[in-house]
Amino acid sequence: MPEMTFRVRWPDGQESDCYSPSLVIKDHFTPGEDYPVRTFLEQADAALTQASERVRARYGFACSRALGQLQAIRQTCTPFLNQPDAQVRILSFSL
């Protein structure tokens, strides 16, 4: 199953690499696009949950690394949820 890293820029300017065990992340995000924090969080939840379920379907167990990444994204987004103009930018995808 191909893994993917997607690089994001948070509303405070910090950048980080995020992990997905599947290319499904490309169905939810576009490099160079900005997403309101709530939208980013909802789409990340959908994408990483779907990616984890793909791992479950193939190997019989969920992907704990994808679920851990989702938890880290939730924690990073939380301080920005009450800032209506806060945006997360998808910088790039890499295999």
Side-chain angles (χ1 to χ4, degrees):
M1 188 165 262
E3 298 178 334
M4 170 168 277
T5 300
F6 56 107
R7 187 155 186 84
V8 300
R9 181 178 303 128
W10 303 104
D12 63 2
Q14 297 289 321
E15 295 181 7
S16 60
D17 289 325
C18 299
Y19 169 81
S20 173
S22 164
L23 302 181
V24 71
I25 205 75
K26 294 171 98 176
D27 296 339
H28 295 269
F29 296 115
T30 303
E33 292 290 319
D34 292 321
Y35 298 85
V37 172
R38 284 190 190 279
T39 301
F40 172 77
L41 186 54
E42 290 168 3
Q43 289 181 219
D45 187 299
L48 291 171
T49 299
Q50 184 179 359
S52 180
E53 288 305 311
R54 286 185 177 188
V55 170
R56 182 188 309 276
R58 184 161 187 182
Y59 299 106
F61 52 86
C63 180
S64 60
R65 189 169 171 199
L67 299 176
Q69 179 64 70
L70 180 55
Q71 182 60 30
I73 287 171
R74 287 179 181 140
Q75 289 176 338
T76 303
C77 286
T78 297
F80 305 109
L81 288 174
N82 293 324
Q83 299 176 20
D85 60 340
Q87 304 273 317
V88 177
R89 176 171 284 242
I90 305 299
L91 298 172
S92 62
F93 294 143
S94 60
L95 296 176

